[in-house]
Amino acid sequence: MSVLVVGSVNADVTVRAARIPAPGETVLGEEARVSPGGKGANQAVAAALAGSSVTLCGAVGRDTFRAPALSGLTRAGVDLAGLHELDAPTGLALITVAASGENAITVASGANARVTSAHLPTDLSGFTHLLLQNELPSEVNREAARRAHAAGLTVLHNAAPARQAPMEQPDPELLAHTHHLIVNEHELAAFASGGGEALETQARALLTRGPRAVTVTLGAQGSLTVTADAVDRLPAFPVTPVDTTGAGDTFCGVLTAWLAQGHPLPTALHAAGVAAALACTRPGAQDAMPDRAEIAAALAR
């Protein structure tokens, strides 16, 4: 039940405001808050809080943002044996959170962009699952997935954020080594180049390219998961959102943790959806993530 997360580590600088600024607009907000973030670190924390043994492979700088970037990982008990200190700034995310709970994020990759395949662990014998995102260089993800697949690990890839330059078809080798692909609607469109087809049709098309399962997260509409044998539509767990910043990462981390603990896919998807909803009820990313006891209590309700 040991999970390896290969991914980004950031410090998040968050400002709450009445609304997200339009292009060219300045909006006054509240005091800035610095907290731990990065999709890799977020998902590692979510998986650890959900009860799995988690190791993170990533990188930070030696600057003042290093400590806040690592604080949540340390509190959650994530193993940082795979963490590297590089001569580059620690990754930084600038986040505006609107009164509605929606957010807009700009990321300065920093040390995350300097990670190479040479930083990947060579011994994967202690792991059962690998979790990837799109905030490290694509060649690192490709090599991590290839090694993990060859070693018998289950590979989950959260293809977020969608690659924007160029907006091209996904890496066929990475897809071929991915067991479970997790995307939102926008990322699915970038992957599938769907010309208006239904989400299920777009997701099912990706199954022919390697993944055994494709999950589309739909925010307040829940999630859709397609496998060769089934289509699983789950409604969202009802909450009043305060901040949606870490919801997607919570979903991915908890899904991976529950699968690593031996739960069947429908049960893991249900737990992940509930956990993601709970994370929206508090401000922040890692600070808002529920632990296993809270997830279990919500499932029981």
Side-chain angles (χ1 to χ4, degrees), residues 228-253:
D229 303 320
V231 177
D232 198 346
R233 298 177 182 270
L234 287 177
F237 186 72
V239 296
T240 300
V242 171
D243 182 356
T244 63
T245 302
D249 292 334
T250 302
F251 183 96
C252 296

Side-chain angles (χ1 to χ4, degrees), residues 57-252:
C57 175
V60 293
R62 298 183 176 93
D63 54 4
T64 56
F65 286 111
R66 177 188 181 281
L70 297 179
S71 60
L73 292 160
T74 302
R75 286 196 303 269
V78 175
D79 184 351
L80 299 180
L83 184 74
H84 301 270
E85 287 191 355
L86 305 181
D87 290 323
T90 298
L92 195 64
L94 307 177
I95 305 170
T96 301
V97 179
S100 64
E102 294 299 313
N103 62 70
I105 305 174
T106 301
V107 176
S109 296
N112 298 306
R114 306 285 185 89
V115 177
T116 71
S117 298
H119 295 114
L120 295 172
T122 55
D123 182 7
L124 300 179
S125 59
F127 301 106
T128 60
H129 289 68
L130 170 68
L131 178 57
L132 303 168
Q133 318 78 34
N134 270 0
E135 288 187 338
L136 294 186
S138 56
E139 60 270 18
V140 176
N141 276 351
R142 184 188 311 122
E143 179 62 14
R146 186 194 66 78
R147 293 184 191 180
H149 192 274
L153 279 66
T154 297
V155 179
L156 294 93
H157 178 207
N158 174 214
R163 302 288 185 188
Q164 296 182 16
M167 190 70 87
E168 58 187 14
Q169 287 295 300
D171 184 330
E173 184 177 354
L174 177 55
L175 266 184
H177 292 136
T178 296
H179 297 91
H180 195 142
L181 180 68
I182 307 161
V183 291
N184 63 23
E185 289 182 79
H186 304 294
E187 293 147 5
L188 177 65
F191 260 53
S193 298
E197 293 95 340
L199 293 178
E200 180 182 332
T201 302
Q202 295 181 52
R204 190 170 295 282
L206 288 172
L207 294 179
T208 65
R209 302 166 68 180
R212 300 174 188 169
V214 176
T215 292
V216 186
T217 56
L218 302 170
Q221 281 70 53
S223 67
L224 165 71
T225 298
V226 176
T227 65
D229 303 320
V231 177
D232 198 346
R233 298 177 182 270
L234 287 177
F237 186 72
V239 296
T240 300
V242 171
D243 182 356
T244 63
T245 302
D249 292 334
T250 302
F251 183 96
C252 296

